């Protein structure tokens, strides 16, 4: 196992890159602690696979260095990096049995037969593949094959890190849920450094201790799931995480007043020193929009109430501004003239997309 550092890494697929837009991965510095469970989260095309392939060595970065435990291994080929990688689509040997497929990474390293058997059986059990062990891989369904791929990534205990590139894409939803929790158990047991790539926030937030959110080749925030939720450092993170995402409304600030649609709202601790030209936005998650009877609450109209299972989403309008609020499933009906307040602790101001630190 190893600690992984990326120093000034960037990558372009263009032969002679000359503008920032030529870079699929913009300059990035990042450390992955030995034994950490990480998720790389971002929309399709933001550079997740590129970053993963740089770590595994399938790609040589245009600039920068990759360090394992402090050693520069940028020029080391993938097979010498001691990394297991699971891809989005199955990579299996069709003519081998499931057992042979799972045993392959161990046989390659001359692991004793008894140990191979133990380990393969354990992984097969976890992936619900035990009954398929004697069968040829080619006879199995696509999601069984993907489970084999996963198993081959997990079977070795001596790897520096395990990289998963959207490994559950072709797996059916029910099994997806169980595999995700299995991976978490496996991490707790073996403490491999795991990097899990996904575009699905639920997968990222349930799997990882640290989530790295990417957008357009850049890391926008790397923090705990809780911090992504409570303190998104960029409006992209606010919108991308949460269901529905954060309410982000154009605003102005005047001293201790927040101005939303010409309405002045007193707000403690909101005195950001934003440059005069900055585009200001107010951000509050739907969970922190509360209905209130107080005199200074904002009158809203209700455009819809959506049932999201365990909670309801109220779609509101304050003047022309759309605001979503989360209601508990058993919330009483809204009054005929509903009014809302924002939880001040969880209200944020963004200048040109970036979170402003609150004044004391
Ligand atoms: P993600 O995994 O987040 O979907 P990728 O790392 O695959 O994103 O891609 C990042 C960007 O690089 C995208 O714009 C994609 O089109 C481009 N890209 C990826 N692979 C190649 C390649 N082999 N050649 C040229 N462009 C590529
Ligand atoms: Mg990808």
């Amino acid at each position: 196992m190893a600690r992984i550092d990326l120093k000034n890494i960037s990558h372009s697929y263009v032969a002679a890159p000359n503008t920032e837009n030529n870079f699929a991965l913009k300059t990035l510095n990042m450390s992955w602690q030995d034994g950490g469970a990480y998720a790389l989260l971002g929309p399709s095309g933001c550079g997740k696979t590129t970053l993963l392939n740089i770590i595994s060595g399938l790609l040589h970065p245009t600039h920068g260095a990759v360090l394992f435990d402090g050693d520069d291994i940028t020029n080391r080929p993938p097979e010498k990096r001691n990394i297991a990688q699971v891809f989005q689509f199955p990579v299996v040997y069709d003519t081998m049995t499931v057992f042979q497929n799972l045993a392959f990474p161990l046989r390659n390293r001359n692991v004793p037969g008894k140990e191979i058997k133990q380990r393969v059986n354990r992984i097969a059990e976890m992936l619900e593949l035990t009954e398929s062990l004697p069968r040829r891989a080619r006879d199995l369904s696509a999601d069984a094959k993907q489970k084999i791929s996963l198993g081959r990534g997990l079977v070795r205990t001596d790897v520096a890190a395990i990289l998963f590139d959207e490994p559950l894409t072709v797996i059916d939803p029910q099994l997806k849920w169980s595999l995700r929790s299995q991976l978490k158990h496996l991490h707790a047991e073996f403490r491999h450094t795991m990097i899990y790539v996904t575009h699905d926030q639920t997968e990222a937030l349930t799997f990882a201790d640290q989530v790295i959110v990417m957008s357009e080749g850049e890391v926008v925030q790397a923090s705990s799931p809780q911090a992504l939720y409570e303190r998104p450092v960029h409006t992209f993170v606010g919108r991308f995480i949460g269901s529905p995402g954060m309410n982000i409304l154009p605003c102005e600030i005047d001293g201790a007043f927040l101005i939303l649609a010409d309405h002045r709202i007193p707000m403690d601790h909101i005195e950001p020193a934003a440059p005069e030209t900055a585009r200001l936005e107010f951000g509050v998650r739907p969970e922190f929009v509360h209905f209130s009877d107080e005199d200074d609450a904002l009158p809203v109209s209700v455009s819809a109430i959506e049932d999201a299972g365990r909670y309801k989403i109220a779609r509101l309008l304050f003047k022309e501004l759309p605001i979503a609020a989360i209601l508990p499933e058993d919330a009483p009906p809204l009054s005929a003239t509903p009014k809302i307040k924002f939880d001040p602790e969880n209200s944020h101001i963004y200048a040109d997309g970036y979170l402003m630190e609150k004044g004391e």
Side-chain angles (χ1 to χ4, degrees), residues 12-14 23-25 42-53 59 88 165-166 197 214 217:
S12 175
Y13 291 98
V14 178
F23 282 83
L25 212 56
S44 175
C46 72
K48 304 181 297 295
T49 297
T50 303
L51 181 53
L52 215 59
N53 288 346
L59 262 185
Q88 195 167 0
D165 196 350
E166 314 217 23
V197 164
M214 293 181 67

Side-chain angles (χ1 to χ4, degrees), residues 1-4 30-41 52 55 82-86 119 122-123 126-127 150-168 179-198 203-204 206-212:
M1 286 176 247
R3 168 199 161 95
I4 302 170
M30 179 120 235
S31 291
W32 317 75
Q33 302 301 328
D34 188 4
Y38 297 93
L40 263 180
L41 173 67
L52 215 59
I55 296 173
N82 200 20
I83 278 195
Q85 189 166 5
V86 180
R119 192 72 194 145
R122 165 82 211 281
I123 294 294
M126 184 198 120
L127 297 169
L150 253 180
R152 293 203 329 179
L154 296 169
V155 77
R156 282 174 56 197
T157 51
D158 62 341
V159 286
I162 311 181
L163 314 182
F164 302 92
D165 196 350
E166 314 217 23
L168 305 181
L179 286 179
R180 213 164 54 209
S181 41
Q182 299 270 26
L183 286 179
K184 219 175 151 74
H185 286 309
L186 221 76
H187 178 261
E189 187 177 339
F190 291 101
R191 288 279 150 198
H192 286 117
T193 309
M194 289 188 176
I195 305 178
Y196 188 102
V197 164
T198 178
E203 275 190 13
T206 51
F207 172 75
D209 311 323
Q210 280 275 311
V211 179
I212 293 105

Side-chain angles (χ1 to χ4, degrees), residues 113-166:
K114 192 168 156 220
E115 208 179 313
I116 292 182
K117 221 168 159 184
Q118 271 175 0
R119 192 72 194 145
V120 168
N121 284 335
R122 165 82 211 281
I123 294 294
E125 197 178 316
M126 184 198 120
L127 297 169
E128 297 174 21
L129 281 172
T130 306
E131 287 176 10
S132 307
L133 280 174
R135 297 181 62 191
R136 301 239 166 252
R138 69 164 165 250
D139 300 332
L140 301 179
S141 64
D143 71 357
K145 285 186 182 176
Q146 182 62 0
K147 287 199 282 179
I148 303 173
S149 284
L150 253 180
R152 293 203 329 179
L154 296 169
V155 77
R156 282 174 56 197
T157 51
D158 62 341
V159 286
I162 311 181
L163 314 182
F164 302 92
D165 196 350
E166 314 217 23

